[in-house]
Structure formats: C-alpha cells, structure tokens
Amino acid sequence: MIPFAAPVRDIRFVLEELLEHGSLSLPGFEEASPDLVEAVLEEAARLAGEVWAPLNASGDRQGCTRRDDGGVTLPDGFAEAYQAYAEGGWNGIGVAEALGGQGLPEVVASSVQEMLHGANMALGLCPMLTAGAIEALAHHGSDELKERYLPRLVEGTWTGTMNLTEPQAGSDLSKVRTRAVPQEDGSYRLFGQKIFITWGEHDAAENIIHLVLARKPDAPEGNKGISLFLVPKFLVNADGSLGERNDVICASIEHKLGIHGSPTCTLSFGEGEGAIGYLVGEEGRGLNHMFTMMNEARHKVGIQGIGVAERACQHAFAYALDRTQGRSPRSGRDDCTISDHLDVRRMLLSMRARTDALRSLALYCAAQLDLARHAEDDAERAAAQARVEVLIPVVKSFSTDQAVEIASLGVQVHGGMGFIEETGAAQLLRDARIAPIYEGTNGIQALDLAGRKLQRDRGAALEGLIDQVEATADALKASDEQAALGESLAGGAADLRAAMAAVLEAGADPEQGADAVQAYATPFLNLAGHVLCAWQMGQAALKASAAVAAGRDEPFYRAKQQSADYAIRQWLPVGRAQRAVIEAGMASLAAFDAAAH
C-alpha cells in the first residue's frame, strides 16, 4: 500500500503566495503567524500520514459492526485514531477561542481537513459532522444549550450528527414526519426514524449529539412546520455529567459501495417513551437553522473530494514511476516505466493539474469565509459573503465530480491492477463516489447556483469574480511566454459571462423560467467550475514564473507552470463547451419521455 504524504508544500504555496496569508491580518487572528501556521500544517501532516492513513485500507476491509445492544463497533484502531485527533486539540482548530477552540482561520482549518480526508475519508467524516453541529449550535442554540453542549463538542469528547433524511423525505425535506411532542418542563419527546445518519452510533466518543429535524403535532405541513431539536445519546445532568441512555437507538447500519469505516445508521427515536430533545433556535425555522450546519458541511465535502483526489494522484504517480512496460518512445529502452508513455503522462498531468486547481479554489473560498466573518468593514464582509454563497455550490459539486473522475483515472493508470482491491486505487474510487450525492446532490448544488444564487442578485457576485478572472487573463497576456494562457483564460471568462446572461434571461421567462434554470443548471455550474479553477491556475502561473525568474525552488515552480498550462489550455476547453450546451436550448429535455424509452 502506498503511504500517504499530506501535500504540505502545495498547501503552503496557496496560503503563502496565492492568498498571501490574508486571513492572518484580520481581527481575531492577531496571535496567529505564518510560522505558527507552518507548524500546524506539519503536525497535521504527521497525524494524517502516521496515524490516520495506515487505517484507511484495513478500515475499508473490516467495516463497522452493529452489536445486539444497538451499539456499533468501529474498525480496529479507528476509536484510538479519533481520540488522538481530539486529544491533540484538532477538533477546535477553527472554532473561536470564546467557544473553547483555537481560533485559527477557516483557511487553515480547511487545509487540515483536506489532509485528514486524504488520509482516511471514512474517519474524517466524524469531525466534519461535529464541526457542522458546533456551527449550528453556536449560531442558534440558547445560552443554556451552548453552555451544556458546546465545550464537549469543541474538545471532541462528544461528537455531532445531522438528522434530516427519512425513508419518504430525501431531498424534499418538507415531507419530514418525525414528531416532537412538547413536555411540561420545556423539553420534547421525539418519535420517528432517520436514515443515512453518518456516524450516528459508534464507540469513539463518550456521547453523540444528534441535531434532528422534526415537527410538533400542531405544526403546519411543509417547510414552515419543521423545527430543529438537539437529542443526546446520553442525557446530560445539570453538572455536565452523563445520565441515563436516551430513547434513541441504531436500528441498522447500511452496507455501502464505499466509506466502509464510517457507520451510516438508521436511527430510531422513541421506541419507548420518546427520545428527550430540546428545541434549537426558533420554532418552525428548523430548515433555516440546519442550513447553517449544511453550508459548513458542503464546503467540507468539497474539501473531502480534493483530499481523496490527492491520494489518488499519489497512488497513480507511485505506480506509474515503478511499473515497467513497453518501449520508450524517446530513449528506445524496452524496460521503461509507464510514466514515460505520453498517454499515461496525459492522465497523470490531468490528475495533478485538476487536483491543484480544485485545492486553490476551495482555499480561496475558505479565505472569503474568513473575510465574511472577521473583516472590520461591513461592506467588505457583505461582499465576501456574497462570493462565498456563489462559491460553495461550485466547490461542493465541481470538486466532488472531479474527484470521482480523478480517482477513476487513477484506476486506469494502474491498468488491470487498478481493478484489484490490493492496490488501493479501487477503494479511492468507491469512497469518492458518495461525495457528489450527500449534503445535497450535485444537481441540487447546480440548481442552488443557477436558480437561487444567480437569480437573487442578478449575477452581481459572480460577475465580480469574472472581473477578477479577466484581470488575471490580462496579466498573463502582458507576458510573452504566458500570452497563450491569457487568451485561453479570457475566452473562458467571456463564455461564462455569456452563459450567465443566457441563464438569467431564461430564468426571467414567466412561462418556462423554472424549467429553463433546471435544464441549464448543471452545464452552467460545470462551466463556472472550469473557469474559476483555470483562474486560480492562472494566478499560480504568474507566481511560479516570478519564482523561476528569481531562481527559487525551480523544480516545484516548473511543475506548477506545467500544471497551469495543462489546466488552462487543455482542461478549460472541455468546460468551455458547456456554453454550447446551454445555447443549444432545452427542447430535447422538455420532449423526453422516460416511459417511452
């Protein structure tokens, strides 16, 4: 099995050179410094590479086991690896110091998350869900709930989950039927079943805090009748100690294509007298409150995809540099490694360029989150938040779709051995496949971008990003050696601007607007993802050229120039074709009858 080495050098390039450590200059991060960030990255890389990564394959083979008492036993070593993470203070890395966290910027927390997901995606899901629970509770919980539950969630001795989906309520949460019956003491008794609950039961932490969507008996139908409730696995006494077991149990665990080390549970609430829960935030605004958690999770799912893509790259490169096959087209040797064949090089460079581009865009989004939360100027915070709302569906959807393609290419580089489980390449493809599905399918992300986000501000936030893409294109065109990159990037920006105008116009049609947005949403998001990723690689090309001219770390920057050239001149054109898809119209989709086929 190929060891995993966290991509610290490339993460530092993004943080230090592309983002210029801008988050560290914001209020609240005065104690953070570039040296501290570097030390954090190095230590996180050690945890990822030495503690988490060696359990990835064994966890996949062993999986999780539901016991007769309703508990779940994790794969060997998982509980200890999680506890090493919690004891090291990693769970609170991006949480405000006022809440007991370390208060580091989101861009640093996201970098650490990528390392951990690349090391062990199944294990990384546990703290990812806890981070979302912390965010939701911090924003919407009462002072009493925050005082009782947040400290243990932040330190990681308790973990969190989100409970949305029911057998009849998947993407359409208006059909949620779990009941929350008010009690005289202000608590509620919950009755119902939730499915697909990630890390819904396990033996790695003392307690599990479930955030559950449910309805009061007199609640109206639809989204407005849904409220959010906190339901602990073990009830918590006034002094913070654990009390009796709550009436919530794992009824079963799913047998899945991938992420076998992550227990995906069906949870049953109220098989006895009802699971005791507490209202979080305002009654009837459960979906709004849960979206605080989901937006946190959606960005992290994109980061998760990038982590798996990185590991797929490392597997493929190691195999291609070791496997001998065929005659070299240049040296004439009969025992060349497959990395010498141009078609294999095409796959390797495609994997590397795309992974680097996705990382850069996701960390740019994280830096905008820092600005939205910490900038002193109200207008600057609002503008950053608008950019975040456009970027999150792109980061979630585009990164995870690309991660599946990158992991699939990794299997292809291995040839027949990629189809054999022992190399590990197949596991990465199986694991990656869930990421485009959960936390809102990628089709829903596309509708969010082309429908809600684009229509709401008539494209103003995205237009601002396109302006930045064009500025980078102009900077590239000013250099003789990079002018071709600038021309290609400018063409991509023009395509995205034209496609945005077409989607806005179609969306305003009083008769077919909603259908048109649905028809064009996915190709539009794909075009946006390609252009924004190419923009980031254009920025990288400018920085790399300056570094090479100054004689700095030439092998790294030469490789970065090659990745940028591939991303802008060979990968971006694939995305630009999506403009033609949009302009072709929706007639074939509107006429399609699935029953007739």
Side-chain angles (χ1 to χ4, degrees):
M1 189 61 62
I2 305 299
F4 174 70
V8 176
R9 179 67 184 90
D10 198 63
I11 289 173
R12 285 185 56 197
F13 170 73
V14 176
L15 299 186
E16 296 170 10
E17 299 188 56
L18 296 186
L19 298 174
E20 297 179 343
H21 272 316
S23 293
L24 300 184
S25 64
L26 295 170
F29 301 131
E30 291 83 4
E31 301 301 316
S33 67
D35 287 344
L36 174 63
V37 171
E38 183 177 350
V40 167
L41 296 178
E42 292 291 347
E43 186 59 23
R46 186 200 65 78
L47 175 70
E50 297 179 12
V51 181
W52 281 38
L55 300 173
N56 195 45
S58 61
D60 178 63
R61 290 192 298 268
Q62 185 179 357
C64 302
T65 304
R66 181 186 178 277
R67 304 189 301 271
D68 291 340
D69 63 0
V72 171
T73 300
L74 296 170
D76 294 343
F78 267 48
E80 293 79 6
Y82 173 77
Q83 288 154 12
Y85 163 89
E87 289 167 5
W90 294 104
N91 205 57
I93 185 174
V95 180
E97 290 182 276
L99 299 176
Q102 297 183 33
L104 287 172
E106 180 61 41
V107 74
V108 178
S110 293
S111 299
V112 171
Q113 284 288 318
E114 190 211 311
M115 296 182 193
L116 295 172
H117 285 299
N120 193 322
M121 177 179 169
L123 182 53
L125 280 163
C126 179
M128 189 185 88
L129 270 295
T130 302
I134 291 169
E135 190 81 3
L137 197 55
H139 277 81
H140 306 295
S142 65
D143 290 342
E144 181 182 358
L145 287 179
K146 287 190 280 192
E147 182 179 349
R148 184 167 295 189
Y149 292 95
L150 270 180
R152 299 291 185 86
L153 284 169
V154 171
E155 69 185 22
T157 51
W158 298 351
T159 64
T161 72
M162 66 168 73
N163 290 244
L164 295 82
T165 307
E166 299 177 7
Q168 80 292 340
S171 298
D172 184 2
L173 293 171
S174 67
K175 293 181 169 58
V176 162
R177 289 289 173 264
T178 297
R179 294 183 298 121
V181 181
Q183 305 298 298
E184 291 184 2
D185 63 359
S187 67
Y188 293 77
R189 295 269 183 177
L190 272 72
F191 301 87
Q193 187 181 83
K194 296 289 183 178
I195 62 173
F196 302 156
I197 309 306
T198 301
W199 281 76
E201 174 60 38
H202 59 84
D203 53 4
E206 298 172 359
N207 204 1
I208 304 172
I209 310 304
H210 304 293
L211 293 183
V212 186
L213 291 181
R215 296 178 185 278
K216 288 179 59 178
D218 59 351
E221 292 295 315
N223 292 339
K224 292 183 179 180
I226 299 173
S227 299
L228 180 62
F229 299 88
L230 183 154
V231 182
K233 172 182 174 180
F234 289 100
L235 299 177
V236 180
N237 298 318
D239 63 359
S241 62
L242 296 183
E244 64 184 32
R245 176 71 186 258
N246 206 353
D247 189 9
V248 53
I249 191 169
C250 173
S252 65
I253 56 176
E254 302 296 342
H255 301 280
K256 311 183 295 288
L257 177 68
I259 54 168
H260 295 153
S262 169
T264 304
C265 302
T266 295
L267 293 184
S268 181
F269 296 85
E271 290 195 358
E273 296 182 354
I276 296 175
Y278 309 94
L279 180 67
V280 176
E282 299 178 43
E283 186 178 312
R285 291 182 57 81
L287 272 182
N288 304 73
H289 300 336
M290 185 64 89
F291 270 108
T292 301
M293 189 175 187
M294 291 185 71
N295 280 331
E296 169 82 14
R298 284 172 173 176
H299 180 254
K300 294 303 181 293
V301 169
I303 294 284
Q304 182 182 78
I306 297 162
V308 177
E310 173 62 38
R311 191 158 195 181
C313 281
Q314 293 187 21
H315 267 70
F317 273 71
Y319 186 81
L321 290 165
D322 180 70
R323 169 68 166 163
T324 56
Q325 190 77 45
R327 183 180 180 85
S328 169
R330 278 165 297 284
S331 70
R333 292 181 54 178
D334 290 327
D335 59 347
C336 73
T337 61
I338 62 173
S339 62
D340 205 31
H341 298 295
L342 287 184
D343 190 60
V344 175
R345 289 187 176 194
R346 173 190 59 80
M347 291 188 284
L348 295 175
L349 183 53
S350 175
M351 294 172 72
R352 171 48 60 206
R354 287 194 272 176
T355 301
D356 289 358
L358 294 166
R359 173 182 298 119
S360 182
L361 184 63
L363 293 181
Y364 172 82
C365 180
Q368 294 301 306
L369 276 165
D370 286 328
L371 271 175
R373 295 167 180 170
H374 296 279
E376 289 183 308
D377 182 70
D378 289 346
E380 189 175 10
R381 285 200 302 273
Q385 183 61 38
R387 287 190 289 272
V388 164
E389 291 182 5
V390 166
L391 287 167
I392 280 182
V394 177
V395 169
K396 192 280 182 185
S397 178
F398 194 65
S399 297
T400 56
D401 278 343
Q402 291 295 317
V404 172
E405 291 191 23
I406 290 165
S408 182
L409 272 180
V411 171
Q412 189 71 20
V413 169
H414 283 74
M417 290 304 297
F419 206 66
I420 305 300
E421 289 287 356
E422 68 186 69
T423 64
Q427 181 194 343
L428 297 175
L429 177 57
R430 289 188 288 102
D431 285 352
R433 192 59 190 86
I434 184 58
I437 298 172
Y438 57 20
E439 302 307 335
T441 66
N442 284 359
I444 289 175
Q445 304 305 312
L447 288 170
D448 180 46
L449 175 65
R452 183 179 298 111
K453 303 296 173 54
L454 199 66
Q455 307 296 328
R456 185 172 61 192
D457 69 354
R458 305 303 297 165
L462 181 56
E463 190 166 19
L465 288 169
I466 298 173
D467 289 343
Q468 294 185 60
V469 177
E470 290 175 337
T472 299
D474 289 342
L476 290 166
K477 286 189 282 187
S479 163
D480 289 341
E481 64 177 17
Q482 298 180 108
L485 300 185
E487 293 292 343
S488 181
L489 185 58
D495 287 338
L496 182 55
R497 199 181 292 277
M500 179 176 69
V503 172
L504 285 170
E505 181 180 358
D509 186 320
E511 294 185 3
Q512 300 188 55
D515 284 345
V517 168
Q518 283 206 38
Y520 304 147
T522 292
F524 180 74
L525 187 145
N526 285 335
L527 173 57
H530 277 91
V531 172
L532 294 174
C533 280
W535 164 48
Q536 288 297 301
M537 294 308 283
Q539 294 281 84
L542 293 168
K543 295 289 185 180
S545 295
V548 169
R552 293 168 39 219
D553 196 2
E554 188 163 332
F556 173 84
Y557 290 108
R558 289 288 186 195
K560 186 62 68 177
Q561 287 177 312
Q562 292 164 1
S563 292
D565 187 90
Y566 182 92
I568 296 172
R569 296 212 291 163
Q570 298 192 45
W571 183 41
L572 175 58
V574 176
R576 291 182 63 183
Q578 298 302 301
R579 175 182 175 180
V581 173
I582 294 168
E583 292 177 345
M586 55 179 280
S588 59
L589 292 179
F592 175 67
D593 180 1
H597 288 256

